[in-house]
Amino acid sequence: MSQSPVWHPFTQHGLREPIPHIARAQGAVLHTEDGREIIDAISSWWVTTHGHAHPRIAAAIAEQAAVLDQIIFAGWTHAPAEKLAKSLREIMPQSLTRVFFSDSGSTSVEVALKMALGYWLHRGEARHRIVVMENGYHGDTIGTMSVGARGAFNQAYEPLLFDVTSIPFPTQGSEQISLDRLEEACRADAAAFIVEPLMLGAGGMLMYSAQTLAEMRRICAQFGTLFIADEVMTGWGRTGTLLACEQAGIEPDILCLSKGLTGGAIPLAVTMASEPVFDAHWSDDRARMFFHSSSYTANPIACAAANANIAIWRDEPVMDRIDELGKRQAERLDRLASHALVHNPRRMGTITAFDVGEATGYLSDLAPRMLALFRERNVLLRPLGNTVYVMPPYCVDSGQLDQIYEAIEHVLNEIAVR
Ligand SMILES: *Cc1c(COP(=O)(O)O)cnc(C)c1O
């Protein structure tokens, strides 16, 4: 085997697992260098919404690259960013009046946390505590790991992670416990509450009710605790609406978007903030400016891709595709639900998930085993522990969905006999 110098993310190179080479991708299909076709059943880790290599996004990127590739964004601006900010103002919750750019989901969350702390500092109130939800995931940087679930994946960095208040996940029937804990933290002057609305992604596709989300928002508002919605995964239609927050009829104080913002073609993120959050930093005193930037803030090529994404949402029947995909997903999941190894089948919008067997220590090697079996069946599925989920691009067709679910059934049967 040739030795590649590439160090892959979330990959144990010591296990010498095969790493497929992808040469190109179109729609919901990945083409390997050795000529295989693989169905992308997880939207290349939740980013690809309309499908790979959408011609309008590809054209926008090519066009913009030839006109203005990059420009400092501190004190300078350009048409693609201005246009994108205006469009986001139109389609995102009305109270979110300001758009701050960065380049990944993690940075959008870091920005949100810094905005929240700046807000309280500039208002002259000593509120620093961040409240989080058990099993949450917000990224892999030090700050975002601090507000996410603690475990093996961040144990080495534990000494550097800041202290937060964690409320229990609102499992069905125990919502009030979570709400009470949130209220307690808010009463104790929490600065902000950060949460993935309706669905915790990396935590295992855990779903909770819109009513609970609305109640959490109400509690934060009551005590002035800033409500940060991390819609990095749930945004752009995944849960059946443009934002998950819509289903609860709520507007956050701060909103994080990335992944589907460019249709999944190129990195870009935004953190949208309400006017009071912006106002707190507004002054003739330079010391109160928002101290955050990265080299590629609002990169024009990335903004052009995001503008093309929004044009697709405007011009194509994206919402119809999402509704249709949701129905098809529900049918497939229903058929699978009677399998002895399928536990807790669940769906929200375009996403289905279930747990394999009862979670036990034995299952710790289940995810990599399933991953390898799925790969053999030419389907890209990457279980989260013993949770299998299907989150395809919206262009996936019925035959491709069948192939995905046939692969799942096959793999479950393989596992059952061992
Ligand atoms: C993926 C994800 C992030 C991190 O985004 P990156 O672009 O990988 O840094 C943050 N929050 C949520 C909810 C996510 O799913």
Side-chain angles (χ1 to χ4, degrees):
M1 191 167 42
S2 70
Q3 278 289 328
S4 164
V6 174
W7 188 345
H8 287 266
F10 278 86
T11 300
Q12 178 46 273
H13 286 274
L15 293 173
R16 297 188 174 81
E17 283 159 351
I19 297 179
H21 283 237
I22 301 301
R24 60 197 178 83
Q26 194 70 54
V29 179
L30 310 170
H31 299 265
T32 65
E33 277 193 347
D34 56 13
R36 281 185 305 140
E37 290 187 6
I38 297 174
I39 311 288
D40 186 353
I42 60 164
S43 298
S44 285
W45 245 359
W46 320 350
V47 300
T48 308
T49 46
H50 311 297
H52 288 278
H54 192 290
R56 286 182 74 172
I57 296 174
I61 290 171
E63 230 166 82
Q64 186 57 44
V67 175
L68 174 66
D69 52 351
Q70 163 70 3
I71 171 77
I72 176 174
F73 207 61
W76 296 74
T77 197
H78 54 81
E82 295 294 335
K83 181 177 174 185
L84 177 53
K86 281 204 186 80
S87 301
L88 289 169
R89 271 285 279 125
E90 281 164 18
I91 62 176
M92 292 298 161
Q94 278 312 294
S95 54
L96 300 172
T97 50
R98 302 289 167 169
V99 181
F100 191 93
F101 291 93
S102 65
D103 31 41
S104 73
S106 299
T107 53
S108 75
V109 171
E110 295 279 357
V111 163
L113 297 172
K114 286 174 72 172
M115 279 178 178
L117 291 190
Y119 171 84
W120 289 112
L121 175 75
H122 300 319
R123 287 171 57 109
E125 289 184 52
R127 290 172 74 154
H128 328 105
R129 181 148 286 261
I130 307 291
V131 186
V132 307
M133 185 181 280
E134 178 190 13
N135 296 316
Y137 176 80
H138 302 286
D140 284 333
T141 56
I142 298 289
T144 59
M145 282 192 295
S146 298
V147 294
R150 309 289 167 96
F153 31 88
N154 48 37
Q155 191 188 355
Y157 328 110
E158 183 75 35
L160 292 185
L161 305 186
F162 59 78
D163 197 26
V164 297
T165 298
S166 182
I167 67 165
F169 177 80
T171 43
Q172 209 178 352
S174 312
E175 290 92 345
Q176 196 55 45
I177 300 170
S178 304
L179 296 173
D180 290 347
R181 290 283 295 283
L182 177 61
E183 179 165 340
E184 213 174 282
C186 291
R187 262 184 209 286
D189 283 346
F193 172 53
I194 181 164
V195 73
E196 297 161 83
L198 297 189
M199 186 156 182
L200 275 51
M205 301 297 158
L206 304 173
M207 304 171 189
Y208 62 96
S209 73
Q211 194 193 339
T212 305
L213 180 62
E215 198 52 23
M216 292 190 299
R217 207 293 166 243
R218 188 195 60 74
I219 291 167
C220 288
Q222 187 184 346
F223 297 95
T225 299
L226 293 174
F227 186 95
I228 304 173
D230 177 355
E231 295 238 21
V232 169
M233 185 280 276
T234 51
W236 304 103
R238 288 290 179 203
T239 67
T241 42
L242 180 62
L243 294 183
C245 278
E246 275 174 46
Q247 295 178 42
I250 60 160
E251 302 200 353
D253 297 300
I254 301 177
L255 170 69
C256 302
L257 294 173
S258 186
K259 293 193 171 127
L261 173 58
T262 61
I266 193 169
L268 185 69
V270 295
T271 308
M272 294 186 69
S274 66
E275 202 61 11
V277 174
F278 177 79
D279 261 350
H281 294 81
W282 198 94
S283 163
D284 53 12
D285 179 359
R286 285 178 180 279
R288 288 177 65 149
M289 71 174 84
F290 185 50
F291 290 109
H292 191 95
S293 177
S294 56
S295 308
Y296 287 103
T297 300
N299 172 263
I301 301 169
C303 289
N307 284 324
N309 168 48
I310 291 175
I312 291 165
W313 271 87
R314 198 183 50 223
D315 303 340
E316 296 184 19
V318 179
M319 225 47 236
D320 293 346
R321 279 178 208 151
I322 287 170
D323 289 343
E324 184 60 32
L325 175 55
K327 276 187 213 131
R328 288 178 178 171
Q329 281 273 66
E331 285 163 18
R332 264 68 172 191
L333 187 67
D334 272 354
R335 262 180 262 155
L336 200 65
S338 56
H339 196 286
L341 283 179
V342 173
H343 290 250
N344 200 9
R346 50 201 185 271
R347 177 185 73 94
M348 188 177 290
T350 68
I351 305 168
T352 56
F354 63 89
D355 306 328
V356 180
E358 324 275 5
T360 66
Y362 149 81
L363 293 165
S364 57
D365 73 332
L366 198 55
R369 269 175 58 207
M370 287 194 285
L371 185 73
L373 289 168
F374 286 131
R375 204 187 285 135
E376 283 170 22
R377 309 286 299 180
N378 290 332
V379 171
L380 169 51
L381 276 169
R382 192 183 160 102
L384 292 156
N386 68 321
T387 300
V388 176
Y389 67 93
V390 181
M391 192 194 297
Y394 307 149
C395 66
V396 72
D397 68 30
S398 218
Q400 290 164 335
L401 264 189
D402 285 339
Q403 190 179 330
I404 294 167
Y405 281 86
E406 277 159 21
I408 292 173
E409 215 178 318
H410 173 85
V411 167
L412 290 176
N413 292 338
E414 282 279 296
I415 288 166
V417 296
R418 285 201 211 161

